[in-house]
Amino acid sequence: MVDRSFADLSLAAWYDRLNPWGPGDDFYLDLVMSARAVLDVGCGTGRLLSGARRAGHTGRLMGIDPAAAMLVQARRREPGVEWALGDLRTVRWRAEFDLVVMTGHAFQVLVHDEELSLALAAVRAALAADGRFVFETRNPAARAWETWTPDRERRLADPDGGVVRVWHEVESAPATDRVTFTETFEGGRWPHPQVSRSTLRFLDEDALTGFLTGAGLTVVERYGDWDRSPLTAASPEIITVARPTGWARPTH
Ligand SMILES: C[S@@+](CC[C@H](N)C(=O)[O-])C[C@H]1O[C@@H](n2cnc3c(N)ncnc32)[C@H](O)[C@@H]1O
């Protein structure tokens, strides 16, 4: 599912202002800098790989995203990265990456079992035998959606003048592991509020492991936050490092 808000060019330009560089980006940048060939799935506005190129990464960097408006931002930012329009099903992968990442909770847009399984099979196909797939998903036990309420609106100055108000509203309390919510932008250059509706899936640790195992991937590390602390019920994130099943840890 494409996040419709950021498929719109006028809203994509707001993405980085609403989601500034944070500890998660530092966590991934370290991994990217130590890998030869990296695929960023759901790369959005491309800040991770652009940051890596600017920090001196000389290997292959490829970002893929189905939202053309997000890639417009990425291409403007760093022409020296391979930016591809599409999703994991768009390309025939040839085990060419030693690191595949999904950052900024992009993993949670994979809502249906079948799209999740197909995406993970494609990740497996893109990974070299000793490669790593690293991604995070919000820990369902931390119930982040309970903070997605209109009273927590954000106000940002519009470069064209005025103020833009942005807020979230959950449509209904989750009866399943999916949460549907709206994000509204109001003010600035828009004569009417811009409303986008998205659904995200909140899988728990065991369900994630089940999907990964089914795709030929084995969990080798798991953390609950960007400081690599262990996963607990109160952790905000479930950060997973997976390897192709059968990968053997070097003994030296
Ligand atoms: C919340 S943004 C994260 C962007 C970026 N990874 C970051 O950390 O800034 C989620 C991204 O996933 C992309 N996306 C939506 N559906 C997707 C799919 N099926 N496969 C890959 N990416 C998808 C969206 O277009 C959007 O750019």
Side-chain angles (χ1 to χ4, degrees), residues 103-114:
T103 74
H105 305 109
F107 184 83
Q108 291 187 252
V109 307
L110 302 168
V111 168
H112 302 293
D113 286 3
E114 196 191 351

Side-chain angles (χ1 to χ4, degrees), residues 109-146:
V109 307
L110 302 168
V111 168
H112 302 293
D113 286 3
E114 196 191 351
E115 69 178 329
L116 191 48
S117 297
L118 286 171
L120 290 175
V123 167
R124 173 68 191 84
L127 276 179
D130 63 347
R132 284 187 290 181
F133 174 42
V134 188
F135 66 97
E136 89 285 353
T137 177
R138 295 178 187 87
N139 182 5
R143 304 175 73 82
W145 61 84
E146 290 181 350

Side-chain angles (χ1 to χ4, degrees), residues 18 24 30 37 51 81 84 99 110 141 149 153 159 165 198 220 245 247:
L18 288 165
D30 274 356
V81 168
L99 177 67
L110 302 168
T149 51
E153 72 168 26
R165 295 169 53 223
S198 308
V220 293
T245 302
W247 170 81

Side-chain angles (χ1 to χ4, degrees), residues 29-45:
L29 185 61
D30 274 356
L31 294 170
V32 171
M33 294 307 289
S34 61
R36 294 179 308 274
V38 183
L39 173 64
D40 182 2
V41 179
C43 62
T45 58

Side-chain angles (χ1 to χ4, degrees), residues 1-3 6-7 15-16 19 25 40-48 64-68 70 86-89 102-107 109-110 115 119 136 138:
M1 184 200 73
V2 176
D3 180 341
F6 297 114
Y15 181 84
D16 289 316
N19 301 280
D25 299 286
D40 182 2
V41 179
C43 62
T45 58
R47 65 177 175 209
L48 176 65
I64 189 163
D65 199 291
M70 296 293 260
D87 62 26
L88 279 159
R89 292 166 300 185
M102 286 187 86
T103 74
H105 305 109
F107 184 83
V109 307
L110 302 168
E115 69 178 329
E136 89 285 353
R138 295 178 187 87

Side-chain angles (χ1 to χ4, degrees), residues 17-18 43 46 56-57 96 106 118 129-130 178 195 198 204 206 227 231 234 241-242:
R17 298 192 64 201
L18 288 165
C43 62
H57 193 287
E96 64 259 61
L118 286 171
D130 63 347
R178 288 152 216 199
V195 184
S198 308
D204 66 19
D206 292 343
D227 57 5
L231 176 63
V241 180

